[in-house]
Every structure is written in C-alpha cells, then in structure tokens.
Amino acid sequence: MMFRCFVCKSSFVTVQMLIRHLKVFHAFYPGKKFQLMCDQTGCHQRFWTFSGFRKHLHNKHSAKSLDQFENEPVIVENEPVIVENEPVIVDVSDEPVVNLIPEQPENSQSCNETRQHTQEMCASLIANLQGCGVATNVITTVVENMEELVEELHSNVKDDVVKLLSNDEEIRTKFDDYFDNLENPFSKLNTEAKRKKHFSEKWGIVEPVEVALGVRYDTRRNRTTGTYDQVPITDKFVYIPLLQTLKFIFTNQEICDHFVQPCEKTGFYKDFCDGNYFRDHPLFSEKPNSLQIQIFYDDFEMANPLGSKHGIHKVGSIYFVLRNLSPKINSALMNIHLLALFHTEDVKKYGFDLILQPLVRDLKVLECTGIEVPFSDEPVYGTIAQVTGDNLGLHTLLGYVESFSANNFCHFCLVDKQTSQTVFRDDDPRITLRNKALHDQHCNDLMVDPTLPSTFGVKRQCLFNDLQYFHVSENYAVDIMHDILEGVGQFELKLLFAYLSDNKIISKTDVCN
C-alpha cells in the first residue's frame, strides 16, 4: 500500500514516512494556519493535527489495494529521510533461528504495568501544567508536539532495530507488529475531553455546578439578518459542592495524616483554637474532630483595572481552607479550595442569598449529619469557623453597610463615627458589642420598615445566620492588611520612632538602620 503527499504527489510506503516527509520537506508543524489534507484515492478530508491525520490514514486507507499505485513511481530522489539503508546481512546458515519476540511473552503483565506507569507519568506532567495555570490551548499544543516527538522516536528505533535483524521475514514481521502495537502515551491525552476523562477515572474530579440566578435581555447581532435583536440571557454562577470537595480532600492519605487535633491550652495566642471563641464553641468544644471551615471572599478584575472596562468584568470568588490543617499545609495553593465564582454585578441585582443557598445547604448537612472520612469510625461534623476577607468584602457578604463613612461602620460594635475618635478599648462603657439578639432586632426593624436603608450599620439578614453553629455577629475576623499593614501601622511606627528619637532612647542612625 502507498500513501500520497497532497503537496508534491510523492508516494510513500508507510504513514510515518509520509508524515516525516511533510515535516522535513514541506515544514508542516502545528500552528495557527496548520492544516493537512488527505489525498488518498480522491479523499480530501482535512485535519488540524498529525495524530488525527495518522489515525485517518491507518483506519481508512491502510487496507486499500495497490492497483491504483502500480503506474506511479515512488519518488525517493534527494529525500534522505525516506531512503532506507541496505539491511545488515547476517549469516545464520549454521545457527538456528531464534524467535526474538515470543507470541506470548511471560512478562506481558510487567510490560503492561510499565506502559501504564509511563502513561501516568505523562498524565502527571499535564496535571502539573494545569495546576500551574497554563492555558488549555497551550497544554494541547505541548501534548501534540510531545506526541509527535514520541512517534518520531518510535519510528527511528524501529528503523534501527530492523536494520540489525537478519532477512528472516518472520522475525521482521513480529518486530513490525510489536512496534505497530506500541502505544504512544500521549495519544490518550491529546484533547481536553480525553484528559478530563483520564483524570476523572484515575484521581477523580469534583465537577462544578452551574446554578441559574435569573434571566435578562441583552442585545445580540443576528448573523443571518445582520440586525441587533433582544435575546434572553440566563445569569448563572458556578458552585463547587462543598461536601464532595471535603470527601475528595480526605482521599489523600497525607492530608489525613496531617489532620490536626485541637491544641492544648498554653496561655499564648498562636492559632484560632487558642481563643475563647473556639473553647466555648458548642460544636468544636464538644466534638474535637469537627471540621473548622474558614471562608474567604473577595472580588478580582478580569480586565485591566485601570482601563475603560474597569468593574464591568469583575468576578466574585469564595474560597475555603480547613483550619484543622497546620498553617504550613494551608499556605500551599493546592489546599485553598474554590467554592463559588459569580459576576459581581449579579450580586447587586439578585443579592447574596441566591449565591449562598447551595453552600448553606451543604453546611447544614455537615452540621447535622456529617460526612464519612477514612481516619474516623464515626461521621465527622463541621461548620464555619470564621469568614475572612477585606473590609468591603466582609461587609458585603455579611450584610453590613458598605460605606465606611457611615455613622455605624464597625461590624464588631455599635460605636458611632464621632465617638470612635475617642474610644480605644473594647471595655469602654460607651462601647456596645454586637450579638445575636441585637443583630436579629436590627434585621426585624428593617423588615418592619423596608424604606430604611440600614439600622445601626445592618443592611440585611445574612443567610449564614440560618446555620446552627455560626452567626455573623460572632465573626471576629479583621482585615489586618488594610487596617494595620497598609493602614495605620506605618503611621504608628513613625510616631513611635519619633518619640524614641526625641527622648534620646535611640539615635537617628538606629532608626535608619
């Protein structure tokens, strides 16, 4: 059988020789305008990858008759790639012929395990690229190039081995069959769908769920008529199921080994479990193995934050970490898990309750029923430990006023703006700390009189308050970056160093150093 080049009409004995000819003599390599055409017996199907072209030739044209090529010369002049050297003649007249490749090798199971291990190594390489945030089209290009590289290596090794063999047709045929059946480890990973299927079967994947928020009408150009029509668009957000994510996390034995038990009382504040809130918590104090879920919320810009599209494409994101793991483990990005992605503009239109509903539903199951984990014979329960974020994100998520020039701007207490200038301790009698009763009263006042924009800094009820073991008034997380590190901290240090220098406690040289 012969395979014809669609460019110069040359004919080749094998598919690999044709592909090598296309690469070397016609410089066909994957790119934006890369395209191959089949020119076998009038077939003009087009391909955008060498792997697809190769499969097509093997499946559709490998069994074609040679009659149609009898009158066509095989062009091999000036083509060093397809010229084959004369095989090495070995005199084996006095020696028995040895079957180099037995039909049923005894170590076939070991060979299969080796091939599977090789494919897993290739899959791990691709998974690492995806974990580093490499774009999907870049990964696909890399895999296609690696696939072609492996095919080229297989072909070169086959040619070199065949040249070392005798003229025994049976041995040559067995070697040909062996190399033809040798799978390319990247062939099962050369598309996004194949990679997704492989990762799902091998390691498992927690699939995101699209949740509809509502329908809006937007203007779209009709390609047929050329006019602009009003079409319905479904507003959606993506939710990654919490319970499935937790079960998937604990399939990792290393995570189970690093699951941290509550620390003992030491008198020092080193972690969340050292505070009175944790020690008096109705769930964490009664069930030491309970999952401490810390939620983080923030928005980020998809476009240039300084450009004209500022704010239009802003996306809100909710993440979580397990406080049961050590800070060293939680500092790795792989242990910061995504919960939800949504368009920030949808929050203004639909509110946060619709976005939080799937999460709160899973949290209620975790509080009441728990989940099965490998390191415990009994179900493990859990709830929200704290909700973190910047000041704007916390106030937006928890239902407080989002303007920090408001009269009641603090989510810890009910101090007004004027009094806050003279109050510096939380035990000051002018301070009234927020609690469940006061917060519920403020929310009820808003329900009685919907015209009120806010009451004592409260704008709305938060869906997290429906949980059994968490209430927004007991969320004691602060925005240390904006409040201290990028806020008042630098001014306080300036005043401190000025005082120390003026009183000759330290010199200006020490301050500079």
Side-chain angles (χ1 to χ4, degrees):
M1 63 190 68
M2 306 293 288
F3 299 94
R4 192 199 330 253
C5 172
F6 70 94
V7 179
C8 63
K9 308 303 179 182
S10 303
S11 298
F12 301 89
V13 178
T14 64
V15 173
Q16 189 59 31
M17 292 173 67
L18 171 59
I19 291 179
R20 188 182 303 173
H21 167 79
L22 291 171
K23 290 180 179 179
V24 176
F25 288 92
H26 299 297
F28 277 97
Y29 277 90
K32 293 182 178 180
K33 298 183 179 180
F34 176 75
Q35 189 179 81
L36 299 172
M37 185 178 70
C38 179
D39 193 26
Q40 321 302 320
T41 65
C43 177
H44 299 291
Q45 189 170 346
R46 298 181 182 274
F47 302 88
W48 286 264
T49 62
F50 275 117
S51 60
F53 183 53
R54 184 184 293 107
K55 290 179 181 178
H56 172 77
L57 294 177
H58 281 301
N59 296 335
K60 300 296 183 181
H61 302 291
S62 61
K64 295 293 183 180
S65 174
L66 297 178
D67 295 339
Q68 55 188 332
F69 297 104
E70 287 179 351
N71 299 324
E72 296 183 10
V74 179
I75 302 176
V76 297
E77 298 180 359
N78 299 325
E79 296 193 12
V81 176
I82 63 173
V83 173
E84 296 184 2
N85 296 331
E86 292 295 330
V88 178
I89 306 300
V90 181
D91 187 6
V92 293
S93 56
D94 298 331
E95 297 181 4
V97 177
V98 180
N99 191 353
L100 299 179
I101 302 182
E103 296 181 359
Q104 299 292 336
E106 297 179 358
N107 59 343
S108 59
Q109 183 177 358
S110 176
C111 293
N112 292 335
E113 292 178 354
T114 302
R115 293 177 182 178
Q116 185 177 2
H117 178 66
T118 303
Q119 185 172 1
E120 295 304 329
M121 292 176 62
C122 298
S124 298
L125 171 64
I126 299 173
N128 288 332
L129 291 177
Q130 290 184 347
C132 294
V134 179
T136 302
N137 59 341
V138 176
I139 294 177
T140 301
T141 302
V142 172
V143 173
E144 290 175 355
N145 290 334
M146 293 299 297
E147 183 181 11
E148 290 304 316
L149 174 62
V150 173
E151 285 291 342
E152 191 71 20
L153 291 175
H154 283 178
S155 178
N156 293 337
V157 171
K158 176 183 176 181
D159 293 343
D160 293 340
V161 171
V162 170
K163 292 175 185 177
L164 299 176
L165 297 176
S166 65
N167 288 331
D168 192 306
E169 291 297 329
E170 182 180 359
I171 296 179
R172 283 176 170 267
T173 302
K174 289 183 178 181
F175 265 100
D176 287 339
D177 293 340
Y178 172 78
F179 281 102
D180 290 340
N181 295 327
L182 194 61
E183 293 183 354
N184 191 320
F186 288 98
S187 297
K188 295 183 179 180
L189 304 167
N190 55 9
T191 65
E192 185 179 2
K194 290 180 181 180
R195 292 193 291 270
K196 186 176 180 180
K197 179 181 178 182
H198 178 81
F199 294 152
S200 178
E201 294 175 352
K202 179 62 180 178
W203 295 302
I205 296 178
V206 180
E207 293 287 349
V209 179
E210 285 190 347
V211 182
L213 293 172
V215 179
R216 59 181 170 87
Y217 283 89
D218 203 350
T219 303
R220 292 289 187 272
R221 184 178 182 273
N222 191 320
R223 296 184 178 179
T224 304
T225 63
T227 60
Y228 287 88
D229 304 330
Q230 293 288 327
V231 296
I233 304 295
T234 303
D235 290 327
K236 303 176 181 179
F237 78 96
V238 176
Y239 173 67
I240 295 83
L242 173 65
L243 297 180
Q244 296 182 28
T245 303
L246 291 173
K247 293 178 181 178
F248 183 76
I249 290 173
F250 289 112
T251 58
N252 188 327
Q253 184 59 43
E254 185 177 358
I255 295 295
C256 296
D257 295 338
H258 285 85
F259 193 80
V260 178
Q261 297 293 333
C263 53
E264 300 179 356
K265 297 181 181 180
T266 59
F268 298 96
Y269 290 103
K270 298 185 297 183
D271 205 350
F272 171 72
C273 59
D274 294 319
N276 293 331
Y277 175 77
F278 177 86
R279 296 172 183 172
D280 299 334
H281 195 276
L283 178 63
F284 299 147
S285 60
E286 295 294 332
K287 296 180 173 14
N289 285 334
S290 299
L291 301 179
Q292 307 162 26
I293 300 175
Q294 177 180 321
I295 291 178
F296 174 80
Y297 163 65
D298 198 7
D299 298 327
F300 61 91
E301 284 282 355
M302 298 295 293
N304 182 4
L306 302 179
S308 59
K309 303 298 183 181
H310 170 72
I312 299 178
H313 304 291
K314 183 177 285 189
V315 174
S317 55
I318 301 177
Y319 305 87
F320 83 93
V321 297
L322 287 177
R323 297 297 309 178
N324 305 83
L325 302 177
S326 65
K328 180 180 179 181
I329 300 297
N330 281 332
S331 63
L333 289 178
M334 68 179 68
N335 296 317
I336 302 175
H337 308 280
L338 182 65
L339 276 175
L341 285 176
F342 48 88
H343 194 202
T344 302
E345 292 296 321
D346 290 340
V347 177
K348 302 177 183 178
K349 183 177 180 180
Y350 301 103
F352 248 121
D353 287 352
L354 291 177
I355 297 174
L356 294 179
Q357 275 182 0
L359 173 60
V360 172
R361 183 169 56 248
D362 285 350
L363 286 170
K364 288 182 178 180
V365 174
L366 188 63
E367 287 182 338
C368 300
T369 307
I371 60 172
E372 300 290 338
V373 293
F375 59 84
S376 177
D377 298 332
E378 300 179 353
V380 172
Y381 301 87
T383 190
I384 296 178
Q386 289 284 272
V387 180
T388 58
D390 58 18
N391 289 320
L392 180 60
L394 283 174
H395 281 232
T396 304
L397 183 61
L398 302 181
Y400 296 112
V401 292
E402 299 164 15
S403 173
F404 300 103
S405 61
N407 191 41
N408 301 103
F409 59 88
C410 182
H411 62 273
F412 294 129
C413 66
L414 303 180
V415 66
D416 58 81
K417 190 174 183 179
Q418 182 178 0
T419 307
S420 65
Q421 303 299 318
T422 58
V423 174
F424 306 103
R425 298 173 60 91
D426 59 358
D427 57 355
D428 192 290
R430 292 173 292 176
I431 289 288
T432 302
L433 298 177
R434 296 185 185 273
N435 54 49
K436 287 185 179 181
L438 284 175
H439 189 86
D440 293 341
Q441 179 182 342
H442 297 156
C443 293
N444 291 333
D445 294 341
L446 292 174
M447 295 177 62
V448 172
D449 188 359
T451 61
L452 293 175
S454 62
T455 301
F456 290 96
V458 178
K459 287 181 60 177
R460 59 177 176 82
Q461 183 74 269
C462 180
L463 202 62
F464 284 149
N465 293 335
D466 293 343
L467 297 176
Q468 184 177 355
Y469 299 111
F470 179 80
H471 195 273
V472 298
S473 63
E474 298 176 344
N475 189 73
Y476 302 116
V478 296
D479 181 7
I480 187 174
M481 183 180 71
H482 293 94
D483 292 345
I484 306 297
L485 303 180
E486 293 184 357
V488 71
Q490 54 185 322
F491 301 107
E492 294 293 336
L493 287 176
K494 178 181 178 181
L495 294 175
L496 173 62
F497 288 138
Y499 173 82
L500 296 176
S501 177
D502 294 341
N503 290 272
K504 309 299 182 181
I505 300 176
I506 60 175
S507 64
K508 292 184 178 181
T509 304
D510 296 332
V511 175
C512 296
N513 293 333

